[in-house]
Amino acid sequence: MSEQLSAAQARRIALAAQGFADRRPAEPGRRHVLKTIERLSILQIDSVNVVSRTHYLPLFSRLGAYPRTLLEDLAWGKRPALFEYWMHEASLAPWALQPLMRWRMDDAREGVGTWKGLARFLRTHETFIDRVLAEIGRRGPMPASELELGAKGAGGWWGWSEGKRALECLFWIGDLTAATRRGTFERVYGLPEKVHPKAVREAPTPDRAEAQRQLIRLAARAQGIATERDLRDYFRMPVADARARIAELAEAGELIPATVKGWDQPAWLDPSAKRPRKVAAQALLSPFDNLIWFRERTERMFGVKIRLEIYTPAHKRTHGYYVLPFLQGEMLTARVDLKAERKTGALVVQAAHAERGADEATAPALAQELLLMAGWLGLGRVEVRPKGDLAKALEAAVGAQIESGPS
């Protein structure tokens, strides 16, 4: 029998599953950072650094001003607790997920589930790819910029050299891994046997179905309440595989069928999901945050359309270039187009727009979060520019909070 939930109940379950029902720690430390990542299972990586690279932001949203070096040490320190692979998109995850991704590496080796261009390159340049792998084995970890093999490319995302294409093929199939990232965020490729801990290398490989069941369990736990499409999207699972694994978990009682009022699709409830009566969150969200990265789910959950406008011509943008929605309580009440101007020491609000759920508390709450973010980024002030229907109130709220001093 399907459990009946209101839209508000489902939203609170989802927020709690993502960590937004918890109080932020007074002094976030390594334990808090690792626990948050384990709760989410993955952090999406993106190179855009207009405010901060996105993998830092979900932790700030949930923990407040944690030391960024904690994540860097967990991901790329001497004894990392995380690894990098294509999971949602390029993502960081705890080592426990590495064996669960080996079926995807096997698929990639067959040209399945990866970009068509790389699949074609893998199929047509086998000898060259073997040479690149041997070169990494001989010289040790290196970025694509230091690999002196193959034809040069035009540069940028779509003008990769042959060497870069070979490295990415090897990364997809698991013959290479990310040894570290350089300050410019350039991936450094290394052999798994030289990078992965012994316990990970020796961990048994679950069969495809069991690995996928575990991934669906993790997706359900991280989302609390989710449709089939939500569960599938979290780790970008193949449609038929996700559908089969969900059916198996439901039959075993590990997913509870649910109907959410206003949702046009059946849902699945994590049996261990918390059901808070109220969520009093306050957070700026990266556009790649786990809570909102699947736009269909975001609109269904919050009634707000989130559109990434980075690749939209400036004159056609509605809200701005790098826009962060603001979570106030249980609703998305505003969005701000932010830019960290490091030379002038300012976190610039290039535009501020209110959503339908905004009220008189929105601007003060948003101002508080912006000032916290500015300090966390090492910026001395928040500058609000006069664009958007919330800009005037937000500028006044920032000024009022600066004048009153820390609470």
Side-chain angles (χ1 to χ4, degrees):
M1 184 175 176
S2 181
E3 183 158 347
Q4 306 295 310
L5 296 170
S6 69
Q9 286 174 316
R11 188 165 51 246
R12 287 194 288 270
I13 289 170
L15 288 168
Q18 285 279 303
F20 287 108
D22 297 347
R23 186 186 298 272
R24 286 173 173 170
E27 296 184 11
R30 180 186 173 94
R31 177 175 60 86
H32 299 103
V33 170
L34 189 55
K35 182 180 177 182
T36 302
I37 296 170
E38 289 172 344
R39 176 182 221 156
L40 299 173
S41 287
I42 46 176
L43 293 178
Q44 185 174 335
I45 295 172
D46 190 82
S47 63
V48 176
N49 198 24
V50 177
V51 178
S52 169
R53 291 199 169 94
T54 190
H55 45 282
Y56 294 98
L57 289 170
L59 297 169
F60 172 78
S61 300
R62 292 156 178 81
L63 300 174
Y66 74 98
R68 292 158 62 93
T69 52
L70 292 178
L71 176 58
E72 292 160 6
D73 183 60
L74 286 168
W76 303 295
K78 290 183 179 179
R79 306 186 80 171
L82 309 175
F83 77 104
E84 182 181 333
Y85 188 61
W86 292 101
M87 286 173 270
H88 181 76
E89 293 287 335
S91 307
L92 292 168
W95 283 118
L97 270 71
Q98 199 280 336
L100 306 184
M101 289 293 148
R102 293 172 187 170
W103 65 270
R104 179 164 287 166
M105 297 172 187
D106 291 342
D107 276 7
R109 197 177 295 274
E110 300 300 319
V112 176
T114 184
W115 302 328
K116 291 181 180 179
L118 282 186
R120 190 182 313 113
F121 193 87
L122 185 65
R123 186 174 63 251
T124 58
H125 291 71
E126 291 183 20
T127 301
F128 177 71
I129 290 170
D130 287 344
R131 283 180 59 205
V132 169
L133 182 61
E135 186 75 355
I136 298 293
R138 183 177 69 85
R139 293 176 56 188
M142 72 176 70
S145 60
E146 293 181 8
L147 185 68
E148 298 171 353
L149 293 175
K152 302 297 181 185
W157 282 109
W158 312 117
W160 285 352
S161 67
E162 287 186 338
K164 172 66 173 175
R165 291 174 190 271
L167 289 168
E168 281 299 304
C169 286
L170 290 162
F171 181 74
W172 266 102
I173 67 178
D175 285 0
L176 289 180
T177 190
T180 189
R181 288 270 186 170
R182 289 189 167 176
T184 57
F185 207 59
E186 187 178 22
R187 183 186 286 146
V188 177
Y189 301 84
L191 297 174
E193 55 265 35
K194 301 291 187 181
V195 175
H196 292 179
K198 182 180 179 182
V200 174
R201 298 196 308 271
E202 296 181 353
T205 301
D207 66 40
R208 182 189 184 95
E210 177 53 29
Q212 291 177 346
R213 278 191 293 272
Q214 290 193 48
L215 292 173
I216 292 292
R217 288 187 191 102
L218 291 172
R221 185 193 68 182
Q223 295 178 96
I225 179 80
T227 66
E228 177 191 300
R229 287 169 63 90
D230 298 338
L231 291 171
R232 189 174 80 227
D233 178 76
Y234 207 80
F235 288 104
R236 297 291 167 84
M237 301 269 286
V239 176
D241 288 357
R243 192 164 292 165
R245 303 297 85 83
I246 290 168
E248 291 159 4
L249 291 170
E251 185 176 356
E254 296 186 61
L255 290 175
I256 299 171
T259 300
V260 180
K261 187 175 182 180
W263 289 21
D264 61 357
Q265 303 164 44
W268 297 99
L269 183 65
D270 172 24
S272 64
K274 294 180 180 178
R275 305 188 186 202
R277 298 178 65 180
K278 183 180 180 181
V279 175
Q282 183 173 295
L284 284 160
L285 302 174
S286 159
F288 305 105
D289 190 286
N290 306 49
L291 180 67
I292 60 169
W293 64 23
F294 188 31
R295 309 309 184 201
E296 175 189 303
R297 176 177 170 85
T298 304
E299 186 173 356
R300 185 190 330 120
M301 192 84 64
F302 297 102
V304 172
K305 286 187 177 182
I306 301 295
R307 181 187 176 200
L308 188 64
E309 297 185 281
I310 289 175
Y311 305 109
T312 303
H315 68 280
K316 292 185 177 180
R317 291 178 193 140
T318 303
H319 295 99
Y321 180 77
Y322 198 77
V323 177
L324 280 70
F326 179 56
L327 176 64
Q328 179 189 354
E330 301 170 10
M331 298 297 297
L332 299 179
T333 61
R335 56 183 111 191
V336 283
D337 179 19
L338 296 185
K339 183 179 182 181
E341 292 194 348
R342 295 168 179 90
K343 289 184 178 180
T344 62
L347 179 60
V348 178
V349 182
Q350 301 188 109
H353 294 88
E355 295 296 329
R356 283 179 300 175
D359 57 23
E360 65 277 1
T362 298
L366 177 53
Q368 185 179 25
E369 206 65 17
L370 287 165
L371 289 164
L372 181 67
M373 176 177 277
W376 175 64
L377 293 172
L379 303 170
R381 61 194 176 89
V382 172
E383 177 187 329
V384 182
R385 293 181 179 167
K387 184 176 181 181
D389 57 3
L390 190 60
K392 186 175 181 179
L394 182 59
E395 183 181 27
V398 168
Q401 293 198 23
I402 292 172
E403 189 174 330
S404 65
S407 55

